[in-house]
Amino acid sequence: MDARVLNEVNYPAAGDRGGTPAQWVRTVDVSAENVVRIFGTTPALHGVSLDIGAGELVALLGPSGSGKTTLLRILAGLDVPTSGRVLFDGEDALKLTVQERNVGLVFQNYALFRHMTVLENIGFGLRVRPRIRRPSRREIRRRALELLDFVQLTGLEKRYPSQLSGGQRQRVAFARALAIEPRLLLLDEPFGALDAKVRRELRRWLLEIHTKTGHTTVFVTHDQEEALELADRVVVMSEGRIEQIGTPDEIYDKPNSPFVYSFIGESSVLPVRVEQGKVWLDEHPLDLAAGAVPSGPARLFFRPHDVEVGNDLPGAIPGVVQGLRRHGGARRVDLEVGGRGDRVEIELPADYSLNLSGRVAVLPRRYRLYPATTQTNLS
Amino acid sequence: MTDAAIAPLLVTEQRGTTVTTEQWPVRILLIGVAVAFLVLFLFMPLAAVFVEAFRAGIGAYFAAITEPDALAAIRLTLLVAAIAVPANVVFGLAASWAIAKFEFTGKSVLNTLIDLPFSVSPVISGLIYVLLFGGQGYFGAFLHSENIQIIFALPGIVLATIFVTFPFVARELVPLMQEQGTQDEEAALSLGASGWKTFFKVTLPNIRWALLYGVVLCNARAMGEFGAVSVVSGHIRGKTNTMPLHVEILYNEYNFAAAFAVASLLALLALVTLVIKVALEWRYADQIAASRRH
């Protein structure tokens, strides 16, 4: 992290503590190696490996039950893997207790201490330190006020959590986590309990905080939009496994599995056949390259908006319009395709003239083919 | 309990007739039945206790409660409560912590067993200790040879009282702690707090009002318990008589004025308990509500 950036925001006043700014942002890189977690007989994580660089903002994205929260809790030290290793800066983190890991945790429901004021909440991590490492009372108060200012809640120090809005509580939870000068920030569905508008505000705010403080940050979410918008890298998880790790662009544009394709963004799926390097829909050859997909049944994935439409497109997918819906500035069309009554969804400009039961041919501009034998986790 | 306290306020606030408001005759009838029931079963007996206590005059009243046997009974009752209540606080905290905060086999059994003293007749509760520690009991011979007196002595009375009163604290805490979950504790631990600091600075403050409420109820029962204590006490005047037993003895001796005088002390305790309970709910309603919902 660049020292100049930190001095600019003047948080936390590093000079006062006599160290260089680099010393208090002791952020770490994190590695999980083959982490397995079994609850009773149910495996929650099947050998997950993951490298997170220092200062990176990483999203763990997946449906519920995908193991993302379990992985986060293992990184935090709140849970212990059945086997595998967790390293902070190359050192075994599993040897460290929750307290020793020095990790800033933010929960979905904030877990603020309800009997303490905002200021007491923020100062808690400093107050409970063993006497030798505990700052003076005045110093704790000063730092807590500074953090309150940093999360833009100046003036609310005497409030109790129950007197705050959801967004404000979440900011207090951040300030409390930052107060212990954590080496790593872990956020469990940080915006899950907030309404859509506050959620968007806080997303931008989280990005600002991350840019200012430079903490390695891992957050769990089931909201792909949130993951794609915020994270440097997204880890897509499903059923205790990592499906794909990549930048938001890679995840969105080059999903490596049917699961990721259908989980991220909107998608239409069509069962097809690959023969002699060509893609066939029933007996109709499509103008699509099969690439490296082997001969046999396959599944064609494409995004509803990534299509070309016309009636004289050679090698296009012919369909019958079954439904028309207005969708923002565009129109969504349900098409029945092929002999088995398969349905796909496409998106057209709102002024495109189409009638129910009308015929139209569609050619995906961008698409991905997966052999049909590949497991999809979304049925 | 807070909801019940708030509900009547809501009704009086909205004066007009609403769908859920009953017609006047129905209201008067319902209120009348409730009040008549309270007068008949609560106020009249309570008033009778005090009327009877002071029937022979104030001098006789104070003579009755300062007489050596009465003083001994009061002292014993206070002593028993002073041992039984803290014991049940520790037990109640441990049990509710175990039930609410982690999973283990036999959890539902423990949860059910906590209620056992409520469903067992107090006489049986006393009798089991006689069977265990009495002269003819399982450990009777051993205790006799070691010269340890449990039955017809303080230890027996304390044991019986603890048994009868142990659900009170746990029953208040278990639902609250289950509702609160473990996130606050996890947050505290991740912020660097040790297990003890987490308990004293986070867990205990989160449950303090429910705990206090449980203690008040537990104490009231510990001081007032009759059946179980009666079986194990031996009714030795000035030695193993608690206040309720002392009342019984005096009553059986037709010493009504003295019996009611001592009884009035117990009734007073009940009233004080009620006042504390209401005061707690009134003073800390917002905090109780906050610690339940938040």
Side-chain angles (χ1 to χ4, degrees), chain B residues 1-14:
Chain B
M1 49 184 168
T2 44
D3 288 348
I6 289 164
L9 290 176
L10 290 177
V11 173
T12 48
E13 261 171 18
Q14 21 178 277

Side-chain angles (χ1 to χ4, degrees), chain A residues 19-85:
Chain A
T20 62
Q23 269 176 318
W24 61 261
V25 188
R26 296 159 300 162
T27 204
V28 290
D29 58 64
V30 178
S31 300
E33 288 177 7
N34 219 3
V35 169
V36 175
R37 179 67 172 103
I38 299 169
F39 292 114
T41 54
T42 332
L45 290 175
H46 309 255
V48 165
S49 298
L50 176 62
D51 288 308
I52 299 166
E56 221 182 344
L57 178 56
V58 168
L60 301 180
L61 173 67
S64 52
S66 59
K68 54 192 193 303
T69 300
T70 307
L71 182 57
L72 192 86
R73 291 175 62 84
I74 287 173
L75 295 181
L78 292 173
D79 200 354
V80 182
T82 311
S83 69
R85 302 214 297 161

Side-chain angles (χ1 to χ4, degrees), chain B residues 76 80 150 153-162 229 232-233 240-242:
Chain B
L76 181 64
V80 168
I150 289 183
L154 179 67
I157 298 172
V158 169
L159 282 175
T161 306
I162 289 178
V229 171
V232 294
S233 121
T240 64
N241 260 356
T242 60

Side-chain angles (χ1 to χ4, degrees), chain B residues 91 95 99 104-117 166 171:
Chain B
F91 167 80
I99 289 169
F104 58 96
T105 38
K107 180 166 159 172
S108 59
V109 177
L110 177 62
N111 208 357
T112 314
L113 283 180
I114 289 176
D115 281 337
L116 191 69
F166 86 56
R171 269 289 146 258

Side-chain angles (χ1 to χ4, degrees), chain A residues 116-146:
Chain A
M116 297 181 198
T117 61
V118 164
L119 203 67
E120 288 167 337
N121 262 286
I122 298 176
F124 182 85
L126 300 173
R127 276 206 316 281
V128 297
R129 281 189 182 169
R131 192 154 294 149
I132 17 165
R133 294 198 292 117
R134 192 188 309 158
S136 69
R137 229 176 249 209
R138 183 183 293 181
E139 172 67 7
I140 292 175
R141 191 183 151 75
R142 193 187 65 75
R143 278 204 231 173
L145 281 171
E146 211 169 66

Side-chain angles (χ1 to χ4, degrees), chain A residues 73 99 107 113-115 128, chain B residues 184 186 193 197 201 205-206:
Chain A
R73 291 175 62 84
Q99 292 95 337
F107 295 90
F113 306 129
R114 61 207 100 195
H115 59 281
V128 297
Chain B
D184 284 14
E186 286 179 348
K197 277 191 177 154
K201 287 183 188 268
N206 274 350

Side-chain angles (χ1 to χ4, degrees), chain A residues 73 78 98-99 103 105 107 109 111-116 124-125 127-130 134 161-162 169 176-177 180, chain B residues 180 183-195 197-198 201-202 205-206 208 290-294:
Chain A
R73 291 175 62 84
L78 292 173
V98 200
Q99 292 95 337
V103 160
L105 256 177
F107 295 90
N109 299 312
L112 294 179
F113 306 129
R114 61 207 100 195
H115 59 281
M116 297 181 198
F124 182 85
R127 276 206 316 281
V128 297
R129 281 189 182 169
R134 192 188 309 158
S162 55
R169 288 184 203 178
R176 186 178 69 176
I180 61 168
Chain B
Q180 289 181 348
Q183 265 198 359
D184 284 14
E185 281 79 12
E186 286 179 348
L189 292 172
S190 79
L191 290 167
S194 64
K197 277 191 177 154
T198 301
K201 287 183 188 268
V202 174
N206 274 350
R208 57 189 161 182
S291 61
R292 282 194 187 258
R293 288 184 213 103
H294 173 50

